[in-house]
Amino acid sequence: MASASLQFFAFILALCGVFGDIAATLLPNWKVNADIGTNIITAVTQMQGLWMDCTWYSTGMFSCTLKYSILSLPVYIQAARTTMVLSCILSAFGICITTVGMKCTKLGGDTDSKNHACFAGGVCFILAGIFGLVPTSWYTREIISNFLDQTIPESSKHEPGGAVYTGFISAGFLLIAGVIFCSSCFKRQQGAWIYPPKQHHFPSTEQESNAGYNLKDYV
């Protein structure tokens, strides 16, 4: 029962990680630059994401521009696009696989098949967490290095946006869920190895007959 509850908790973490991963991939606020200027009425907030750049004005107007050209983008944005999409795909596969292999569900067949499914789903979650952690770390490093560069003007400097933090948190959820699923299956398999089923040895009929003949010799 404790193992089933732990798996259910890991499944909830994985669901939060999947939704957060998808949201971080689509949100346009990976880096933000707030330019207030001399008049707060003309304040502008510029946001840049993986797929679009958006500008929000204090008057309430909001405009976005899609990034159609892939080759014109910096390398870290291209890598972030690829790895975040892979993270979303792997986490979705992990959800499907662990749904079959969880102990509290009636899918997946026997216990060994469910254990293998849980382990495979946990591996998918771990890989998805790694693929989500790499682009967010790389993107944050580029933002910080540009912010500390004295040759770049202040108007061109940005700070990490909400999508970066969402990606970090989602990657952590996926990693934790993957470790829980893999460790729970490994513990059950390890218990089977340490405590193998007892084998009952029954005396053969030949030994019983020999014992009978020996007793007759003494009579």
Side-chain angles (χ1 to χ4, degrees):
M1 186 65 184
S3 179
S5 302
L6 192 63
Q7 286 184 353
F8 184 75
F9 173 72
F11 187 78
I12 297 299
L13 286 180
L15 276 180
C16 296
V18 171
F19 290 131
D21 218 10
I22 296 174
T25 305
L26 299 178
L27 284 175
N29 57 340
W30 278 66
K31 56 182 178 180
V32 180
N33 179 19
D35 186 11
I36 298 177
T38 58
N39 189 357
I40 196 172
I41 299 177
T42 60
V44 176
T45 301
Q46 296 179 351
M47 298 176 291
Q48 296 184 16
L50 301 180
W51 312 96
M52 65 181 69
D53 297 337
C54 296
T55 303
W56 180 81
Y57 301 92
S58 60
T59 55
M61 297 181 62
F62 193 83
S63 62
C64 293
T65 304
L66 293 175
K67 297 178 179 179
Y68 292 103
S69 178
I70 299 176
L71 299 178
S72 62
L73 297 174
V75 177
Y76 68 95
I77 295 182
Q78 297 180 17
R81 279 185 173 187
T82 305
T83 51
M84 289 301 292
V85 171
L86 287 175
S87 178
C88 293
I89 294 174
L90 285 172
S91 58
F93 278 151
I95 289 293
C96 297
I97 296 172
T98 52
T99 302
V100 176
M102 287 176 63
K103 195 174 181 180
C104 59
T105 61
K106 296 182 179 180
L107 305 173
D110 56 355
T111 304
D112 291 336
S113 300
K114 292 175 77 68
N115 289 342
H116 293 158
C118 274
F119 186 80
V123 172
C124 289
F125 288 143
I126 292 175
L127 292 177
I130 293 173
F131 280 134
L133 191 62
V134 169
T136 50
S137 302
W138 192 359
Y139 207 100
T140 304
R141 177 184 174 278
E142 293 293 331
I143 294 173
I144 294 174
S145 61
N146 292 333
F147 189 85
L148 298 177
D149 193 353
Q150 300 296 330
T151 61
I152 298 177
E154 293 293 332
S155 59
S156 300
K157 294 182 178 181
H158 298 79
E159 295 182 0
V164 174
Y165 301 113
T166 304
F168 273 119
I169 296 172
S170 302
F173 283 165
L174 291 172
L175 286 173
I176 295 172
V179 170
I180 290 175
F181 274 115
C182 291
S183 61
S184 63
C185 297
F186 179 74
K187 284 180 180 179
R188 284 199 292 269
Q189 293 178 0
Q190 187 179 21
W193 297 336
I194 296 176
Y195 303 103
K198 296 182 179 179
Q199 298 180 356
H200 299 280
H201 299 281
F202 297 99
S204 61
T205 55
E206 184 178 358
Q207 292 178 353
E208 292 179 353
S209 61
N210 292 333
Y213 286 127
N214 293 333
L215 291 174
K216 290 179 180 180
D217 294 337
Y218 288 101
V219 175

